[in-house]
């Protein structure tokens, strides 16, 4: 186990270093680290990315196997968790997405310029240095009001220092991540289920590296469900409103809550329906723009409570892998047009089909064994 931990540390540091290959040329705060490697050597960058993703899933499946076989307990799991969080807290967040810069810009419009972010776009402040490395400065706020409200914390406690503000936004994601992991443990008392979500490479990359706010939405949703199951309906309702107040996606669950309460559904049935509905909104998101990889967390979180069903477990692992592969076409080709959209769909779908195939083969072997 010690050797595995040592190799895992090397892997984490390699991924951390890889993230700094993606520094934007206009990101003057870290101009000394700028190499332009990812644009000059797209094929090499893509190959490294694929290798890192494959290795990450190998570690993930190994850790889950060790937990299942009682070779990895709570203490070692916590070590892995803290180590992963610590290394990726200091990674470059715009390796795969620039959304964290959009969060900061929206917060700046609100709390520095004192303007309404739903009306005023960041690009309207032409002198602002953040425009040099933003990729969506021509959009008003895309998120619900509660998200705008809580961004005051990382922004104001940055005291005007951009790098500190950036660090604070990543720290905010990490706090919600820890809250989610703790809630899964509290609600399931299963280390395996907790690790299934907590160590999932898609969750780790999109939350700890990219700092997406989806973790805050699903964390507050899980907290709402926890309080509702504890019959603390007032607190449950409040945290459900907070969840929908981050992103509107969880509004699809609104009709489900009173039905679940009146019919007194058990945990399995409740999370089955939550997973189905969040899967629907996940798929429907493609009609707005496209299916973004970090949206997969909407399905992975509730699905984690159902992984006693091996088919669900296999599909969630395949989905996680496939969503990370969606980054490959743009990373390689440098364009969102041409063959990129269809390649994204193909690369996302193949791992899900492969996972289903392996499940079918394994199930057939079990029947033959009997």
């Amino acid at each position: 186990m010690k050797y595995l931990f040592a190799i895992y540390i090397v892997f984490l540091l390699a991924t951390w270093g890889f993230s700094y290959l993606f520094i934007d040329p206009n990101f003057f705060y870290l101009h000394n680290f700028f190499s332009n490697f990812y644009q000059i050597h797209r094929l090499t960058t893509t190959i490294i990315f694929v290798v890192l993703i494959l290795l990450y899933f190998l570690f993930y499946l190994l850790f889950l196997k060790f937990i299942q076989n009682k070779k990895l307990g709570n203490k070692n799991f916590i070590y892995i968790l803290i180590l992963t969080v610590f290394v990726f807290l200091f990674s470059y967040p715009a390796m795969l997405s620039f959304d964290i810069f959009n969060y900061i810009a929206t917060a700046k419009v609100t709390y520095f310029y004192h303007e309404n972010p739903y009306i005023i776009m960041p690009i309207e402040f032409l002198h602002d240095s953040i425009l040099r490395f933003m990729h969506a400065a021509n959009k008003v706020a895309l998120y619900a009001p509660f998200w705008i409200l809580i961004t005051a914390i990382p922004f104001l406690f940055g005291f005007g220092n951009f790098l500190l503000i950036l660090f604070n936004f990543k720290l905010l994601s990490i706090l919600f991540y820890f809250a989610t992991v703790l809630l899964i443990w509290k609600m399931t008392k299963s280390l395996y289920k907790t690790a299934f979500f907590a160590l999932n490479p898609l969750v780790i990359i999109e939350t700890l590296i990219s700092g997406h706010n989806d973790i805050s939405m699903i964390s507050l949703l899980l907290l709402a469900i926890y309080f509702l199951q504890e019959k603390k309906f007032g607190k449950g309702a409040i945290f459900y409103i907070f969840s929908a107040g981050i992103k509107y996606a969880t509004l699809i669950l609104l009709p489900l809550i009173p039905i679940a309460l009146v019919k007194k559904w058990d945990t399995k049935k409740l999370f089955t329906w939550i997973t189905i509905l969040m899967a629907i909104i996940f798929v429907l998101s493609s009609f707005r723009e496209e299916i973004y990889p970090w949206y997969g967390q909407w399905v992975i979180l509730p699905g984690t409570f159902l992984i006693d069903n091996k088919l669900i477990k296999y599909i969630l692992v395949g989905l996680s892998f496939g969503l990370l592969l969606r980054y490959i076409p743009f990373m390689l080709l440098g364009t969102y047009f041409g063959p990129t959209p269809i390649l994204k769909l193909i690369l996302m779908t193949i791992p899900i089909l492969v996972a289903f195939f392996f499940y079918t083969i394994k199930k057939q072997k079990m029947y033959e064994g009997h």
Side-chain angles (χ1 to χ4, degrees):
M1 189 65 72
K2 288 181 180 179
Y3 292 111
L4 181 62
F5 280 5
I7 297 169
Y8 183 63
I9 291 170
V10 172
F11 165 76
L12 290 177
L13 293 174
T15 308
W16 172 86
F18 179 73
S19 73
Y20 281 90
L21 297 180
F22 291 82
I23 293 177
D24 190 284
N26 297 309
F27 192 72
F28 52 88
Y29 296 99
L30 296 177
H31 64 91
N32 290 331
F33 292 89
F34 174 68
S35 65
N36 206 31
F37 184 91
Y38 79 99
Q39 290 185 341
I40 298 171
H41 306 285
R42 286 192 173 275
L43 178 59
T44 304
T45 302
T46 305
I47 292 171
I48 295 171
F49 176 74
V50 172
V51 170
L52 288 174
I53 294 303
L54 286 169
L55 286 174
Y56 212 149
F57 273 89
L58 178 61
F59 279 115
Y60 176 55
L61 296 175
L62 277 174
F63 289 145
L64 289 179
K65 190 71 174 176
F66 287 148
I67 290 171
Q68 195 172 36
N69 295 335
K70 310 296 183 184
K71 293 180 180 179
L72 196 156
N74 291 8
K75 189 176 179 180
N76 285 333
F77 167 72
I78 292 170
Y79 285 156
I80 293 168
L81 207 63
I82 292 174
L83 186 64
T84 305
V85 168
F86 179 78
V87 172
F88 288 156
L89 174 60
F90 299 98
S91 61
Y92 182 65
M95 180 175 83
L96 300 172
S97 167
F98 287 81
D99 276 11
I100 197 166
F101 295 148
N102 300 333
Y103 304 156
I104 295 171
T106 302
K108 194 168 188 178
V109 169
T110 309
Y111 300 109
F112 181 79
Y113 293 112
H114 304 291
E115 297 288 352
N116 185 340
Y118 294 105
I119 299 173
I120 304 297
M121 297 178 290
I123 202 170
E124 296 184 46
F125 302 98
L126 296 175
H127 62 284
D128 201 303
S129 58
I130 198 173
L131 298 178
R132 293 167 62 177
F133 48 87
M134 276 190 69
H135 283 217
N138 59 338
K139 293 182 179 180
V140 295
L142 301 173
Y143 307 109
F146 187 64
W147 172 250
I148 306 299
L149 180 63
I150 62 175
T151 58
I153 300 170
F155 183 82
L156 296 177
F157 280 92
F159 306 108
N161 183 300
F162 183 83
L163 289 180
L164 182 55
I165 293 170
L166 183 62
F167 178 86
N168 287 346
F169 268 86
K170 290 199 73 176
L171 191 58
L172 181 67
S173 292
I174 286 169
L175 291 174
F176 276 113
Y177 167 79
F178 274 130
T180 308
V181 173
L182 185 62
L183 278 166
I184 295 171
W185 168 253
K186 195 173 182 65
M187 294 171 73
T188 65
K189 293 296 187 288
S190 166
L191 180 60
Y192 188 86
K193 289 182 179 179
T194 305
F196 185 87
F197 179 86
L199 301 181
N200 184 296
L202 177 73
V203 174
I204 293 289
I205 289 171
E206 301 298 358
T207 299
L208 304 186
I209 295 180
S210 298
H212 285 293
N213 63 357
D214 299 76
I215 191 66
S216 55
M217 179 190 78
I218 59 177
S219 178
L220 292 169
L221 172 64
L222 192 57
L223 188 57
I225 295 168
Y226 171 75
F227 280 125
L228 289 172
Q229 289 187 322
E230 294 290 312
K231 302 192 184 308
K232 297 178 181 178
F233 303 120
K235 289 181 180 179
I238 289 170
F239 283 104
Y240 173 72
I241 292 169
F242 286 166
S243 173
I246 299 287
K247 282 187 168 183
Y248 301 113
T250 49
L251 285 175
I252 196 172
L253 303 177
L254 187 58
L256 183 67
I257 295 172
I259 295 172
L261 291 174
V262 170
K263 294 193 173 184
K264 298 180 180 178
W265 284 351
D266 59 22
T267 299
K268 184 179 179 181
K269 188 169 184 179
L270 175 62
F271 277 100
T272 298
W273 277 103
I274 291 173
T275 304
I276 290 169
L277 291 175
M278 293 310 293
I280 289 171
I281 199 71
F282 167 75
V283 173
L284 289 177
S285 67
S286 63
F287 292 99
R288 185 176 66 88
E289 287 186 10
E290 64 170 293
I291 292 177
Y292 292 112
W294 51 92
Y295 289 179
Q297 297 175 88
W298 305 355
V299 182
I300 293 167
L301 177 65
T304 296
F305 287 79
L306 305 172
I307 60 171
D308 294 326
N309 183 314
K310 284 190 168 67
L311 176 60
I312 292 175
K313 181 171 70 173
Y314 275 63
I315 288 175
L316 289 179
V317 172
L319 175 66
S320 303
F321 189 72
L323 287 172
L324 286 173
L325 294 185
R326 284 180 66 88
Y327 288 113
I328 290 175
F330 176 78
M331 194 177 291
L332 181 63
L333 303 174
T335 178
Y336 292 108
F337 305 101
T340 297
I342 188 65
L343 287 174
K344 283 183 174 182
L345 182 61
I346 291 169
L347 288 170
M348 180 185 75
T349 306
I350 288 174
I352 300 172
L353 296 177
V354 170
F356 182 77
F357 173 77
F358 273 105
Y359 166 78
T360 305
I361 295 297
K362 194 170 182 179
K363 191 173 182 181
Q364 187 175 357
K365 286 182 178 178
M366 286 176 65
Y367 281 132
E368 290 174 355
H370 288 293

